[in-house]
Amino acid sequence: MRQPGLTLTATGVTPWLDVSAGVWDPVLPGGGPVRQRWLDVDGALVATGGADRERWWMHWPSLGTYVFGSDGPVVAYPIAGSSHAALQDSFTRGVVPVVMLARGCEALHASAVLTGSGVVVFCARSGTGKSSLALALALQGAILWADDTVALSWAHECIESVALPFPLRIDDTVREALGRRADVRFTDPGAQHPLRRVYFLTRDATMDPGKPELTSVRDGSRFERLLAHAHPFELATDARRRVMIERLLRIAAAVPLYELRFAPSLEHLPLLAQSVSAHLSCRAEALPYVRSA
């Protein structure tokens, strides 16, 4: 059963999902040793992965195993009783980003919006509010670009982001605080736009919630800040990992990076989004509640 998926012409990758009625028969026993483990925010195991000669695999307990190569479909071998809806959900949220890494992209743990001049990325630890800020910006006119994973590609020496399909996961309390639900625009999967700017979000409960701070990230920490939010691909060779480091260094050198420090406050979330919009348009100095350096 083939599920419609995503075509990415920039990398020559077309990851779609085939759900097999057969049994996974890897070349290596068990698919080979586990090379990578994925954990949730509480540290619980979500999936394991390895390399089966010229293919890679991800095993999701109680769900199934996804197998993929450098091109072609991703084949899911479900465990008895797992639903196609659950397979598709895990494929979209967790497998597609790994396939993108395997096929030449990089990725950041981040949310993002599309503005008139490119993709604006928000990196942060889980629970900081990056999805909430992206939604607030979308309600003020931006387009939702990514939630949880921002994929990056290199086309003609230009650093671009590639839109992946994603389910938006926002707490009802955040939606209620923003006051609107139907005014959000989403980008089309497969779209590509230049990477314009990256913000690193930091919560600081000691601050005045009405006075967020925007500061440029200094040269000495730019690469380290990006690396802390990069998706590793431990299934790859050392050469592939070197490519990832080189690309992050290029982003650190070429893309404006800023820290956005703010006090957690749902009441002030629209104001926080307004401060980012003003910063993007170089009007931050006109807002009395923004401290910028």
Side-chain angles (χ1 to χ4, degrees), residues 239-260:
R240 174 65 180 84
R241 285 188 282 272
R242 283 195 295 272
V243 169
M244 181 193 77
I245 297 300
E246 292 169 357
R247 287 172 169 173
L248 292 180
L249 286 168
R250 287 179 56 193
I251 295 174
V255 177
L257 309 180
Y258 294 91
E259 180 174 16
L260 174 57

Side-chain angles (χ1 to χ4, degrees), residues 204-246:
D204 186 343
T206 67
M207 293 179 59
D208 182 336
K211 296 180 180 179
E213 294 181 3
L214 289 150
T215 57
S216 179
V217 177
R218 293 178 295 179
D219 292 344
S221 63
R222 292 168 67 85
F223 167 75
E224 289 80 4
R225 297 290 292 269
L226 285 168
L227 182 62
H229 296 283
H231 281 284
F233 185 54
E234 297 172 6
L235 310 182
T237 63
D238 290 340
R240 174 65 180 84
R241 285 188 282 272
R242 283 195 295 272
V243 169
M244 181 193 77
I245 297 300
E246 292 169 357

Side-chain angles (χ1 to χ4, degrees), residues 9 16 57 97 114 123 127 147 151 171 211 249 259 266:
T9 56
W16 66 85
W57 55 269
L114 176 64
C123 293
D147 186 62
D171 291 342
K211 296 180 180 179
L249 286 168
E259 180 174 16
L266 288 178

Side-chain angles (χ1 to χ4, degrees), residues 105-155:
C105 287
E106 307 301 340
L108 295 173
H109 179 219
S111 296
V113 296
L114 176 64
T115 67
S117 59
V119 176
V120 178
V121 174
F122 305 103
C123 293
R125 295 179 179 178
S126 296
T128 301
K130 55 186 181 296
S131 298
S132 302
L133 177 57
L135 179 60
L137 282 161
L139 288 170
Q140 295 181 7
I143 300 173
L144 275 178
W145 181 265
D147 186 62
D148 197 53
T149 297
V150 175
L152 303 172
S153 68
W154 278 255

